[in-house]
Amino acid sequence: MSDKSNTARVQRPSLSSSMRSSSYLQEHQQYRAPNKPEGHYGIDTVVEDMNATSIATLPSPIIPPKGVARFKGIPSPEHPPTIVESGLSHELSHPNCTPAPGTRSDKLVATLYYKSTAPRISNAIPSLQQASSPAGSQSPKGRAADSEIPSNMAPTSSLDTFPLEPPTAEPEPLDHLYGSYVSPMCITSFLHLMSSFPLPPGASDLNSAHRCLKLDQTPDHHPLVVELTLSPGPSLDYLPLADLRKHELIYRFEREWNVDVALRADTLFRRYPRLVVFDMDSTLITQEVIDLLAATIKDPPDLAARVADITHRAMLGELEFDSAFRERVKLLTGLPGTLFNDLRPVLEVTNGVRPLLRALKRLGVKTAVLSGGFLPLTSWLAGELGLDYAHANEVVIDDATGRLTGEVKGRIVGAERKRELLIEIAGKEGIPLDQVVAVGDGANDLLMMDAAGLGVAWNAKPRVQMEASARLNGDSLLDLLYLFGFNDEEISQLIQ
């Protein structure tokens, strides 16, 4: 018997038109939710198909095509004008233009990042079937590794303590069906989602315009980062922007399509940052210096484990950051002060940091690193990368012995101090906080991210991802530039 299942392959659903050709997005660049009345046609309405139009407005030097009557009245839904010039049709629409005098626009910019480096798989849980099997029918492997529950599905990964009614497995991600990129169906789904929120009083339609900022390397050049401008955005009286970012519908959309969504008000300062402040550990570099320091010291042999224990207690909230840092520094008492120099070759700069800083410098943007680590390493790294400011904790070194005393000089650079330093640097440079961007990954970065005009969580802890203004979960920190509206062509010019 031949196996026919291997001879035929089911084709994935796809759209006939690509993102970069005429499509639903380009028709007046306007989105109308289902079951909503069509808006009126303005003087600039374009009708592509001349044969389907009975009334048209044409420039006087041009003779109307046969079968098309010259329009002699006022444009209306019944008599939409047609603009023709040398055989070319023009798509003109003004919903995203400058507002009328005396009014202001309420535009919202949504930047969609496809997380190609972290594809999400559907959560089919065969282990749950094992849990419901009759007693005595346990598999030979038992209920160990094979019966673990994915960590993102329940409060526990142990079937012994699993809730009585386990959650249903998530469906297959939609990007598996419609393409591993920001597909037209993904954008349609997002626009439909945004249309479910109330609009400001007087607004009847949600207008949208899109720009592809980053394309993949395939022959079809699918978009990986897309910027959508929505006009107007959801009513701020109904849902402030900070709450909209945390809305469950946004979270579900991100999970379904494997994307990150960054929402920002379309203001002037969005496009022109003047100060960008970074955390150091797990942001500018991929490691945590305190753990790296402990791991490289062999005497005493249990130092790394003791430092890791304090770090774990701090993450559980048993210790404040200041107390935890002082306790860990105390463990370094008696070590030579030159150990920081030995760590320099070990530091691993995060992918994309060097070209990002080169681009920011060419734009005239000031940069700073505010670290809860050690000043000798932070200052050295700032010099290597060309940052303008560097602040971190200064450990005390005995002048006579050249060894660490286990003490820290001055205030600990924790959450409060980072916020103060950000405000101090901005004030010194004469930069409004609206034009400050703060990038970090830990809970001690939240206060400085909140003080900045834009706080960006970089591959951050879950709480930070939820609280930050925007989140990036890619493999290159250069992705930060897309939040400012730059596309790949412009970024390539900046990093040369």
Side-chain angles (χ1 to χ4, degrees):
M1 181 182 294
S2 62
D3 186 3
K4 295 183 179 181
S5 62
N6 295 327
T7 61
R9 185 177 180 180
V10 179
Q11 186 175 2
R12 293 190 313 177
S14 61
L15 297 181
S16 59
S17 61
S18 67
M19 174 71 74
R20 302 180 67 78
S21 64
S22 295
S23 67
Y24 58 93
L25 287 175
Q26 293 177 336
E27 183 183 2
H28 313 309
Q29 293 192 331
Q30 187 173 39
Y31 175 80
R32 294 186 180 91
N35 303 322
K36 283 193 175 182
E38 294 290 321
H40 67 276
Y41 290 92
I43 187 64
D44 58 348
T45 302
V46 177
V47 179
E48 294 184 7
D49 190 355
M50 289 292 298
N51 296 325
T53 306
S54 59
I55 300 178
T57 296
L58 300 173
S60 56
I62 300 178
I63 299 175
K66 186 177 181 180
V68 177
R70 185 181 297 274
F71 177 64
K72 299 180 179 180
I74 300 175
S76 67
E78 294 76 20
H79 305 290
T82 300
I83 301 174
V84 175
E85 181 181 350
S86 303
L88 299 177
S89 63
H90 297 267
E91 294 184 354
L92 304 176
S93 183
H94 297 282
N96 288 306
C97 289
T98 187
T103 64
R104 55 171 297 174
S105 60
D106 294 309
K107 298 179 184 177
L108 181 69
V109 173
T111 309
L112 276 57
Y113 290 80
Y114 180 71
K115 298 192 289 188
S116 57
T117 57
R120 184 176 71 84
I121 61 174
S122 58
N123 289 325
I125 317 178
S127 57
L128 296 181
Q129 298 176 358
Q130 297 177 5
S132 60
S133 60
S137 61
Q138 201 171 18
S139 64
K141 294 183 180 180
R143 295 170 61 185
D146 286 350
S147 62
E148 290 185 356
I149 299 164
S151 59
N152 62 338
M153 290 200 63
T156 176
S157 61
S158 170
L159 283 174
D160 295 328
T161 57
F162 200 83
L164 183 61
E165 296 183 3
T168 305
E170 293 187 14
E172 184 177 11
L174 295 178
D175 61 313
H176 291 193
L177 297 174
Y178 297 102
S180 300
Y181 50 91
V182 184
S183 64
M185 283 300 297
C186 175
I187 294 181
T188 300
S189 176
F190 181 76
L191 292 175
H192 181 62
L193 183 159
M194 297 305 294
S195 71
S196 66
F197 297 114
L199 296 177
S204 58
D205 286 318
L206 175 63
N207 304 295
S208 68
H210 86 279
R211 298 171 58 226
C212 298
L213 303 184
K214 180 181 181 180
L215 306 176
D216 62 19
Q217 300 299 318
T218 63
D220 293 330
H221 301 302
H222 296 124
L224 297 178
V225 182
V226 173
E227 180 186 272
L228 288 166
T229 302
L230 308 179
S231 176
S235 173
L236 297 179
D237 294 333
Y238 168 77
L239 196 65
L241 183 55
D243 294 333
L244 179 63
R245 290 177 175 131
K246 303 175 186 178
H247 201 282
E248 184 179 358
L249 291 179
I250 301 291
Y251 170 76
R252 287 182 179 178
F253 171 82
E254 291 175 317
R255 294 285 295 167
E256 288 176 349
W257 291 97
N258 196 29
V259 298
D260 280 326
V261 178
L263 299 175
R264 301 188 66 189
D266 188 22
T267 64
L268 174 66
F269 293 154
R270 177 187 75 88
R271 301 187 295 272
Y272 300 103
R274 295 177 58 193
L275 171 64
V276 180
V277 176
F278 299 91
D279 175 41
M280 177 171 165
D281 294 9
S282 298
T283 302
L284 285 181
I285 63 174
T286 61
Q287 308 111 317
E288 293 286 335
V289 168
I290 188 71
D291 296 329
L292 186 65
L293 190 65
T296 56
I297 298 171
K298 305 303 180 183
D299 186 25
D302 63 339
L303 179 61
R306 292 158 65 188
V307 169
D309 178 66
I310 297 172
T311 303
H312 179 66
R313 290 164 56 197
M315 291 180 63
L316 292 177
E318 297 176 4
L319 292 174
E320 295 289 339
F321 178 83
D322 291 15
S323 301
F325 186 82
R326 291 185 186 277
E327 191 171 341
R328 284 177 290 188
V329 171
K330 200 72 175 178
L331 296 176
L332 306 179
T333 302
L335 295 176
T338 57
L339 60 87
F340 297 110
N341 297 337
D342 299 334
L343 287 181
R344 292 178 181 177
V346 186
L347 296 185
E348 182 179 279
V349 176
T350 300
N351 182 35
V353 163
R354 295 183 188 276
L356 169 63
L357 294 175
R358 190 157 57 247
L360 293 176
K361 186 173 289 291
R362 294 194 68 178
L363 291 169
V365 178
K366 295 292 182 179
T367 54
V369 53
L370 306 181
S371 172
F374 302 95
L375 187 59
L377 273 178
T378 303
S379 297
W380 174 81
L381 183 67
E384 287 291 303
L385 298 178
L387 284 90
D388 299 295
Y389 294 90
H391 293 275
N393 297 300
E394 186 174 357
V395 294
V396 179
I397 300 177
D398 187 270
D399 294 333
T401 62
R403 295 183 176 273
L404 301 180
T405 65
E407 302 295 329
V408 182
K409 184 184 298 183
R411 290 180 58 188
I412 298 293
V413 182
E416 292 281 354
R417 184 59 180 154
K418 283 188 175 185
R419 178 174 61 181
E420 292 176 6
L421 289 169
L422 180 147
I423 296 174
E424 287 178 11
I425 296 172
K428 180 179 179 180
E429 295 289 343
I431 298 174
L433 292 179
D434 285 343
Q435 290 181 276
V436 179
V437 178
V439 186
D441 74 297
N444 65 329
D445 299 318
L446 284 173
L447 290 182
M448 77 168 184
M449 292 163 67
D450 183 63
L454 174 65
V456 181
W458 167 250
N459 290 324
K461 311 298 184 296
R463 178 191 169 193
V464 183
Q465 297 247 9
M466 181 60 69
E467 295 292 334
S469 304
R471 50 186 174 270
L472 298 176
N473 291 286
D475 60 353
S476 174
L477 203 52
L478 193 62
D479 289 350
L480 182 69
L481 293 179
Y482 298 122
L483 288 177
F484 308 146
F486 294 112
N487 60 33
D488 264 349
E489 182 181 16
E490 295 163 336
I491 291 174
S492 64
Q493 298 175 22
L494 288 172
I495 64 178
Q496 288 178 354

